[in-house]
Amino acid sequence: MADRAGGRANPLARLFDALPPGTRLVLGGTVVLGISSYIYLALAGHTLDATSLAGVSVLWTVVMSVGYGLFSPVELELNRLVAARNVGGQGPREALRRTALLTGAVLLAVLALLAAAARPIADRLFHGDLTLVAGLGGALVGLAVSSLTRGALAGLGNFRAYGTQLAVDGGLRIGLAAAVPALGLHSVLAFSLILVVSPLAASLIGLRSTLRDRRPGPAVPWPGLTRGLGLLAASTLLAQLMVNAAVVSVQLLSPASTALVAALLNAVVIARVPLFAYAAIQASLVSALSGAAASGRHAEFRKVLVRTVAVVCAMCLAGGVPAVLLGPWIIRTMFNAQDVLGAADFLWLVLGTLCYMVATVVGQALMALGRHQRQLVAWAVGTAVLAAVTLLPGDVGTRAELGYLAGSAATAGLMLWSLLRRFRAAPADAGDVPAASEAAAPVA
């Protein structure tokens, strides 16, 4: 009884109780993988010359933006498909097999494009270094394979193995990056290979756990799988565009405002801190919502969604208030930014991040219901609103910040409206979330 009372009195325990099952197991791996990014780049900065470091930085950026946009939808969609089958006692193999075949086809097409355009890509992005183009191709292979294994693990609810895979991936990146200067190497190839070896080695954990499940399961229809992944990829790319638009907009509209661009980049990093915490929730959220949708557990679906939105709002409040109050001082002190931003600038960015995170959570709910198209429409409308506000007359920095806020708010509002319409249109007992057969394939 005392333990239970203590758990209730502990704010951290209450927070985990409100989150989808499995979040606690994923959190440690997410932290290790996140920290590995900073250590990897820091060690590269102390090991490579300026030109080589620029190439590795661009490689990292392309992998984390374009690669993420291409292959994170694989993890999300496979998570949804496997969770829908798992709740009915069916195995993941057929869903994994067809998703892997489609992912492999996309990967081969991208690798062929890289090979055909290797020289211009190297000249424009990597100062003519073809080894970094090869490293980019290898890193995309690692990202594709790790997305497949993580999607299967999350759909099966095996979050211990999921978190372990994240932690091993991050740990290998740290260890291998530290080994490069320790061995006296000053090679961009060595640092690029880390982005290949680490995710592939860590994926063996996921493959081993997934292949143990020998339960039979139905195949995924090709048209539904292709359509679902295509819609998710488009949504992810628009979401990536929105969350990174403020800095890019100022750079494009006022190239001479270098101090503002630098300060705004620092401010965006501060305002987006809650997004890193959300990464630990996403996999378990999709699994929980998809399982509830497939089995028709209406109350559980709503409870998981409402609680996650509440936790996301609390995270944004906890991180946003200090950012608004101390943000200008933080970026001047830590990043040596010029005094060009005030508390109001941080307020718009924090509110934009809040709306963006709510849109992301509700978007996962629409995806769990098979409403991929409505999610994409919401991101498209939000992007149009962002562009319209950014192009209004006035201070360029304020326009970019308000564009981010308005676009995120429009996206979140439209998604909430679509979700409420879905619930209100369904019968009270049988239809506000789809049955297993409906949830198993993407619909409009």
Side-chain angles (χ1 to χ4, degrees):
M1 182 70 69
D3 291 342
R4 184 177 299 178
R8 288 175 181 168
N10 186 337
L12 187 59
R14 290 202 303 270
L15 174 63
F16 279 115
D17 288 341
L19 292 171
T23 301
R24 192 192 303 263
L25 297 174
V26 177
L27 181 61
T30 303
V31 170
V32 174
L33 187 59
I35 291 174
S36 73
S37 301
Y38 296 99
I39 295 177
Y40 173 91
L41 293 173
L43 287 169
H46 286 86
T47 305
L48 302 174
D49 58 47
T51 301
S52 299
L53 177 60
V56 170
S57 299
V58 172
L59 170 65
W60 178 274
T61 302
V62 173
V63 171
M64 294 301 132
S65 54
V66 178
Y68 181 86
L70 284 173
F71 297 113
S72 68
V74 171
E75 177 181 341
L76 294 173
E77 182 69 356
L78 186 58
N79 184 344
R80 183 183 79 90
L81 294 170
V82 172
R85 284 156 174 74
N86 189 51
V87 77
Q90 299 168 332
R93 281 200 172 187
E94 285 303 312
L96 177 58
R97 185 179 68 85
R98 287 208 169 181
T99 306
L101 288 173
L102 183 56
T103 303
V106 173
L107 179 62
L108 286 175
V110 173
L111 293 179
L113 181 62
L114 281 179
R119 174 48 63 189
I121 290 174
D123 292 340
R124 289 179 178 272
L125 297 180
F126 304 124
H127 302 283
D129 192 339
L130 286 170
T131 60
L132 284 174
V133 179
L136 174 58
L140 292 178
V141 172
L143 189 57
V145 173
S146 62
S147 296
L148 285 166
T149 55
R150 291 203 303 260
L153 290 174
L156 291 170
N158 192 349
F159 293 109
R160 186 176 300 280
Y162 185 102
T164 301
Q165 180 173 332
L166 293 179
V168 170
D169 189 352
L172 285 173
R173 295 185 193 205
I174 294 171
L176 293 173
V180 172
L183 294 173
L185 300 176
H186 301 275
S187 166
V188 293
L189 178 60
F191 276 99
S192 65
L193 286 176
I194 292 172
L195 302 183
V196 183
V197 173
S198 298
L200 287 177
S203 295
L204 295 176
I205 297 168
L207 284 174
R208 182 181 179 185
S209 299
T210 302
L211 294 178
R212 285 177 182 169
D213 194 327
R214 300 184 180 277
R215 292 175 296 167
V220 183
W222 283 114
L225 179 60
T226 304
R227 184 169 180 270
L229 283 176
L231 292 171
L232 274 179
S235 295
T236 303
L237 290 171
L238 286 177
Q240 288 291 100
L241 172 65
M242 183 175 294
V243 79
N244 292 296
V247 176
V248 177
S249 296
V250 173
Q251 178 65 41
L252 292 175
L253 296 174
S254 183
S257 302
T258 54
L260 177 59
V261 170
L264 190 57
L265 175 60
N266 302 146
V268 166
V269 170
I270 299 296
R272 284 167 48 180
V273 166
L275 277 173
F276 294 101
Y278 175 71
I281 303 174
Q282 180 170 268
S284 54
L285 172 65
V286 174
S287 180
L289 290 175
S290 299
S295 59
R297 287 173 281 148
H298 315 152
E300 181 177 343
F301 185 96
R302 287 171 170 158
K303 183 173 75 172
V304 169
L305 177 60
V306 170
R307 283 188 172 184
T308 305
V309 170
V311 168
V312 161
C313 291
M315 288 192 304
C316 284
L317 181 65
V321 171
V324 173
L325 296 177
L326 302 174
W329 174 80
I330 291 174
I331 64 172
R332 288 196 304 270
T333 304
M334 292 185 61
F335 301 107
N336 197 30
Q338 295 188 26
D339 191 12
V340 293
L341 297 179
D345 299 288
F346 280 86
L347 177 62
W348 307 138
L349 293 173
V350 166
L351 291 175
T353 298
L354 169 61
C355 294
Y356 180 86
M357 290 181 69
V358 170
T360 303
V361 173
V362 180
Q364 306 305 331
L366 287 173
M367 188 193 75
L369 295 171
R371 294 327 193 236
H372 299 60
Q373 185 174 352
R374 296 186 184 182
Q375 183 185 10
L376 175 58
V377 168
W379 284 115
V381 170
T383 302
V385 171
L386 181 151
V389 173
T390 302
L391 293 175
L392 291 173
D395 178 75
V396 65
T398 303
R399 284 187 284 147
E401 295 155 3
L402 291 177
Y404 173 45
L405 171 57
S408 299
T411 303
L414 187 53
M415 286 185 181
L416 284 168
W417 177 75
S418 296
L419 193 62
L420 289 174
R421 276 193 64 194
R422 176 71 179 91
F423 285 155
R424 288 172 181 170
D429 295 324
D432 58 350
V433 293
S437 59
E438 182 184 350
V443 292

